[in-house]
């Protein structure tokens, strides 16, 4: 990894320097030097050279667009999106439709690789709309293919299916065998993710046959990988393994590292099924290295999950580190707001697609619009219901935890009384500490959190430090003993203390909030009402 990082940095330093000079002066000479670098690195098909009379706007448009492609090739997606967005407003939409589509595609792919599906689908959708206006079936099928890939990444499989069906339809009109093979392979991938393995197997076999006729070795390896996924869905692991064993060496030789990483993840999952955990871990590690290089957080999350499964018996500490990273990636990629935005984009896709059709289909278009709106409303209600159920479930569990915490503290006080009485009588034997190790651990956590609530010094890291353990160990220990995360457990302690203060003292709600570690009374009131169903002031009454 260190060698790769140093190599990637060295590769981009010259480009960074040239772009910095160009941004300062917009000179033709610097632009030509930059394009000479692109030609040397084979990012452009041929050398691009500008005469001295080239206008500043055209120069900036070209340099900034190709800068986005340059950084995309070097996996610097933040810079790629920044330059793509600078170039986009300079493109004349009426005369340079192809250039605008290329720019939108570059930005969409960069956002896709960063796991920002909301932005990726927005730019890919704009590109698809322009392609539909232009009417070139080959380009339309290409932009539908990109949308399909993004919807797969966002787990919007039904929308991915719609896109790939439309893409295949336009691809047949274009009569482009290379594109046909790519989209047929993508259809296999869609149905694999949907669990429709019969359809996936059919498309996968067709795609492999097409690539074999075209004699494209690297693409044959990719189709073998897709077909292997279908076979795994049917439980035909031996045949799937044979295909993956053929595909992986070819992908390593060809240098298609992204497809290699995906295929290594597949092999790792297959080996887990066969209980060959050590071999599975090696494939997941190879995939993880690739996706860290490429800053592909979506596929990184899959490698991390695989490593957790492969290592949890042989190296549980390392397995938990991978699992923690997997959970963080999962939460960042698939939060509820992004999911709702993607669903809204997806629901609009058919409506806006139909607007480009012949005017004779207007009546049918209106019916489809109403159906789409109804589907969006139903989906929103469903998602609201699921969200409400989850919040209520968490609230109920925290309420239960507050009662359990009270019992633990009461039991601990009783044990202290019994121990003191036994010492006075000098008749009782000492109780072995390990009998109460879990309870004592919880008592220690509860005591530390309670003591630190007024000063707001009760983060997981600070509590772990005072217990002389790492934050990872604290999380794992709490999970083992209580089945809950530290956040839920600390919230339960706060609520237990709040109830005690509200019912046994004359403190105001604002003072109780401060004593329980809340900086804002409104936040305290919302949390209290979510757990107990009433506001703090009503609870006292």
């Amino acid at each position: 990894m260190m060698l790769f990082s140093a190599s990637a940095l060295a590769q981009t330093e010259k480009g960074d320097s040239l772009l910095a000079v160009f941004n300062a002066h917009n000179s033709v000479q610097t632009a030509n030097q930059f394009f000479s670098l692109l030609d040397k690195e084979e990012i452009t098909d041929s050398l691009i050279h500008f005469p001295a009379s080239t206008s500043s706007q055209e120069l900036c448009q070209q340099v900034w667009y190709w800068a986005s492609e340059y950084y995309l090739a070097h996996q610097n997606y933040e810079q790629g999106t920044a330059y793509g967005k600078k170039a986009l407003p300079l493109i004349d939409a009426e005369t340079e439709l192809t250039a605008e589509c290329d720019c939108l595609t570059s930005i969409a792919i960069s956002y896709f690789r960063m796991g920002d599906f909301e932005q990726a689908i927005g730019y890919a959708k704009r590109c698809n709309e322009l392609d539909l206006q232009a009417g070139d079936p080959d380009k339309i099928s290409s932009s539908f293919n990109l949308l399909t890939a993004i919807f797969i990444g966002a787990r919007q499989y039904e929308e991915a299916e719609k896109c790939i069906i439309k893409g295949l339809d336009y691809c047949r009109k274009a009569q482009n065998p290379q594109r046909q093979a790519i989209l047929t392979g993508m259809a296999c991938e869609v149905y694999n993710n949907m669990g429709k393995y019969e359809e996936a197997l059919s498309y996968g076999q067709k795609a492999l046959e097409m690539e074999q006729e075209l004699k494209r070795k690297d693409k044959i390896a990719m189709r073998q990988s897709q077909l292997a996924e279908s076979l795994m869905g049917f439980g035909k692991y031996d045949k799937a393994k044979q295909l993956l064993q053929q595909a992986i060496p070819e992908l390593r030789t060809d240098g298609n590292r992204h497809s290699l990483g995906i295929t290594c993840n597949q092999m790792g999952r297959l080996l887990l099924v066969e209980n060959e955990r050590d071999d599975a871990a090696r494939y997941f590690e190879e995939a993880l290295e690739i996706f860290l290089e490429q800053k592909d957080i979506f596929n990184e999350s899959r490698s991390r999950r695989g490593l957790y499964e492969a290592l949890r018996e042989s190296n549980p500490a390392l397995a938990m580190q991978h699992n923690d990273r997997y959970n963080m990636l999962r939460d960042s990629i698939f939060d509820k707001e992004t999911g709702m935005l993607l669903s809204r984009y997806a629901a609009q896709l058919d409506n806006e697609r139909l607007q480009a059709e012949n005017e004779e289909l207007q009546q049918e278009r209106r019916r489809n619009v109403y159906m789409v709106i109804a589907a969006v409303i139903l989906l929103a209600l469903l998602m609201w219901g699921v969200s409400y159920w989850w919040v209520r479930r968490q609230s109920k569990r925290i309420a239960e935890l507050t009662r359990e915490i009270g019992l633990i503290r009461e039991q601990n006080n009783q044990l202290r009384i019994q121990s003191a009485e036994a010492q006075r009588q000098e008749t009782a034997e000492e109780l072995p500490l390990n009998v109460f190790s879990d309870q004592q651990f919880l008592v220690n956590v509860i005591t530390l959190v309670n003591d630190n609530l007024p000063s707001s010094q009760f983060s997981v890291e600070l509590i772990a430090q005072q217990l002389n353990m790492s934050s990872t160990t604290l999380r794992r220990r709490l999970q083992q003993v209580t089945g809950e995360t530290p956040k839920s457990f600390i919230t339960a302690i706060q609520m237990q203390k709040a109830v005690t203060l509200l019912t046994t003292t004359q403190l105001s709600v604002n003072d109780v909030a401060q004593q329980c570690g809340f900086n804002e009374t409104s936040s305290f009131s919302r949390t209290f009402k979510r757990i107990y169903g009433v506001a703090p002031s009503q609870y006292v009454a």
Side-chain angles (χ1 to χ4, degrees):
M1 277 297 299
M2 291 177 65
L3 288 173
F4 174 83
S5 299
S7 174
L9 181 61
Q11 284 178 324
T12 57
E13 277 182 353
K14 187 172 182 181
D16 293 340
S17 176
L18 288 171
L19 286 167
V21 174
F22 176 81
N23 291 337
H25 304 291
N26 292 350
S27 72
V28 173
Q29 181 182 0
T30 307
N32 285 333
Q33 290 174 347
F34 177 64
F35 280 104
S36 178
L37 174 65
L38 298 187
D39 181 58
K40 183 178 179 181
E41 294 190 14
E42 298 183 351
I43 293 173
T44 56
D45 294 330
S46 59
L47 178 63
I48 298 174
H49 185 84
F50 291 99
S53 59
T54 306
S55 69
S56 178
Q57 177 170 325
E58 182 182 355
L59 209 58
C60 288
Q61 175 211 314
Q62 288 292 315
V63 170
W64 289 342
Y65 163 70
W66 282 104
S68 73
E69 293 285 352
Y70 173 75
Y71 284 116
L72 176 58
H74 287 288
Q75 292 100 45
N76 188 337
Y77 304 121
E78 293 88 351
Q79 285 281 56
T81 54
Y83 274 104
K85 287 196 253 186
K86 286 177 69 173
L88 200 55
L90 301 179
I91 299 173
D92 188 337
E94 293 184 3
T95 62
E96 299 181 73
L97 192 61
T98 299
E100 186 175 3
C101 287
D102 289 343
C103 194
L104 289 167
T105 298
S106 178
I107 298 171
I109 293 172
S110 289
Y111 274 123
F112 178 38
R113 291 292 171 83
M114 289 190 290
D116 190 339
F117 301 121
E118 175 191 346
Q119 293 283 0
I121 199 170
Y123 283 97
K125 184 170 171 287
R126 284 173 60 185
C127 177
N128 180 251
E129 290 167 353
L130 292 176
D131 285 335
L132 286 167
Q133 290 175 20
D136 184 335
D138 191 45
K139 291 182 178 179
I140 294 171
S141 66
S142 178
S143 56
F144 268 124
N145 186 60
L146 176 59
L147 273 169
T148 301
I150 299 171
F151 275 125
I152 290 175
R155 299 183 181 179
Q156 300 284 322
Y157 302 129
E158 292 184 359
E159 301 309 321
E161 181 184 24
K162 292 178 184 177
C163 287
I164 198 60
I165 288 173
K166 293 174 183 176
L168 283 167
D169 182 49
Y170 280 102
C171 196
R172 282 188 284 271
K173 296 175 183 176
Q175 297 183 342
N176 182 335
Q178 288 84 4
R179 185 87 65 199
Q180 185 91 23
I182 292 171
L183 268 74
T184 304
M186 183 64 77
C188 172
E189 199 165 327
V190 170
Y191 288 114
N192 277 331
N193 281 283
M194 296 179 76
K196 297 181 178 180
Y197 295 112
E198 288 188 12
E199 292 93 332
L201 189 63
S202 174
Y203 279 108
Q205 289 172 336
K206 289 177 184 176
L208 180 57
E209 290 169 2
M210 290 177 184
E211 296 292 5
Q212 287 170 339
E213 290 180 8
L214 294 168
K215 299 180 180 180
R216 301 192 297 181
K217 290 184 178 181
D218 59 325
K219 297 297 188 294
I220 288 173
M222 293 170 64
R223 305 303 161 238
Q224 288 172 326
S225 170
Q226 291 165 335
L227 184 56
E229 188 73 25
S230 307
L231 292 168
M232 288 166 65
F234 278 111
K236 298 180 179 180
Y237 298 113
D238 290 340
K239 291 183 178 180
K241 194 172 186 179
Q242 290 175 6
L243 287 173
L244 294 177
Q245 287 171 337
Q246 294 172 29
I248 288 173
E250 178 59 39
L251 292 171
R252 284 175 179 153
T253 301
D254 180 69
N256 187 343
R257 291 183 60 75
H258 191 261
S259 295
L260 173 61
I262 292 172
T263 308
C264 285
N265 270 345
Q266 283 181 278
M267 181 65 90
R269 288 191 292 106
L270 189 151
L271 292 169
L272 282 179
V273 173
E274 297 180 345
N275 206 29
E276 297 179 19
R277 297 185 178 275
D278 291 341
D279 289 339
R282 283 192 286 273
Y283 279 103
F284 284 127
E285 285 167 357
E286 183 176 357
L288 178 61
E289 181 181 355
I290 290 169
F291 296 128
L292 286 173
E293 289 173 3
Q294 300 189 341
K295 301 178 183 179
D296 184 340
I297 63 174
F298 171 70
N299 283 302
E300 179 194 343
S301 70
R302 293 187 168 187
S303 302
R304 297 280 188 185
R305 182 63 183 175
L307 281 167
Y308 165 71
E309 294 290 343
L311 297 173
R312 63 179 179 176
E313 294 181 2
S314 61
N315 193 340
L318 182 57
M320 285 304 297
Q321 290 179 22
H322 286 297
N323 193 50
D324 289 344
R325 173 64 177 165
Y326 162 75
N327 287 327
M328 188 184 77
L329 291 172
R330 180 196 60 190
D331 293 342
S332 67
I333 294 172
F334 302 114
D335 60 76
K336 288 182 288 186
E337 289 185 1
T338 298
M340 291 178 69
L341 285 167
L342 287 169
S343 297
R344 186 157 63 246
Y345 274 127
Q348 292 171 350
L349 183 61
D350 278 348
N351 174 36
E352 295 184 11
R353 166 67 181 86
L354 287 169
Q355 289 179 353
E357 298 289 345
N358 195 291
E359 293 182 0
E360 296 176 1
L361 300 177
Q362 289 298 315
Q363 186 176 1
E364 182 181 354
R365 181 184 65 80
R366 292 190 190 93
R367 287 198 300 269
N368 279 302
V369 169
Y370 297 146
M371 290 175 63
V372 168
I373 292 172
V376 170
I377 293 171
L378 288 173
L379 181 60
L381 288 171
L382 177 62
M383 294 186 71
W384 177 86
V386 171
S387 176
Y388 178 79
W389 170 84
W390 185 86
V391 169
R392 294 303 302 159
R393 178 178 176 274
Q394 287 296 102
S395 300
K396 183 179 179 182
R397 178 55 185 150
I398 291 175
E400 292 172 354
L401 276 176
T402 60
R403 292 192 290 273
E404 292 172 11
I405 288 168
L407 289 173
I408 290 169
R409 298 181 72 180
E410 183 179 340
Q411 291 170 2
N412 186 59
N413 290 334
Q414 291 175 356
L415 287 172
R416 286 179 178 176
I417 294 170
Q418 291 172 5
S419 178
E421 182 66 26
Q423 288 180 358
R424 285 197 299 273
Q425 295 177 0
E426 296 182 352
T427 58
E429 296 182 359
E430 290 188 4
L431 293 172
L433 293 176
N434 62 343
V435 172
F436 303 108
S437 59
D438 285 346
Q439 180 170 332
Q440 188 59 51
F441 165 71
L442 292 178
V443 169
N444 291 341
V445 174
I446 294 166
T447 301
L448 285 171
V449 173
N450 269 306
D451 290 346
N452 289 293
L453 283 177
S455 62
S456 298
Q457 302 295 313
F458 56 90
S459 68
V460 174
E461 289 73 17
L462 288 172
I463 297 303
Q465 185 178 5
Q466 294 180 57
L467 289 172
N468 294 319
M469 61 177 64
S470 69
S471 57
T472 301
T473 302
L474 174 61
R475 288 190 179 91
R476 183 168 61 250
R477 185 81 185 274
L478 267 178
Q479 189 79 35
Q480 291 172 344
V481 176
T482 69
E484 297 297 328
T485 64
K487 182 180 179 181
S488 296
F489 196 71
I490 290 172
T491 301
I493 295 172
Q494 291 175 292
M495 292 299 101
Q496 199 268 345
K497 184 171 183 177
V499 168
T500 301
L501 293 174
L502 288 169
T503 56
T504 62
T505 71
Q506 297 299 317
L507 292 175
S508 67
V509 172
N510 182 59
D511 290 338
V512 171
Q514 294 293 326
Q515 289 295 313
C516 292
F518 287 87
N519 294 325
E520 297 181 1
T521 305
S522 60
S523 177
F524 167 69
S525 297
R526 283 196 303 272
T527 303
F528 193 94
K529 186 172 183 180
R530 177 165 58 83
I531 303 303
Y532 294 108
V534 295
S537 57
Q538 294 173 319
Y539 189 90
V540 175

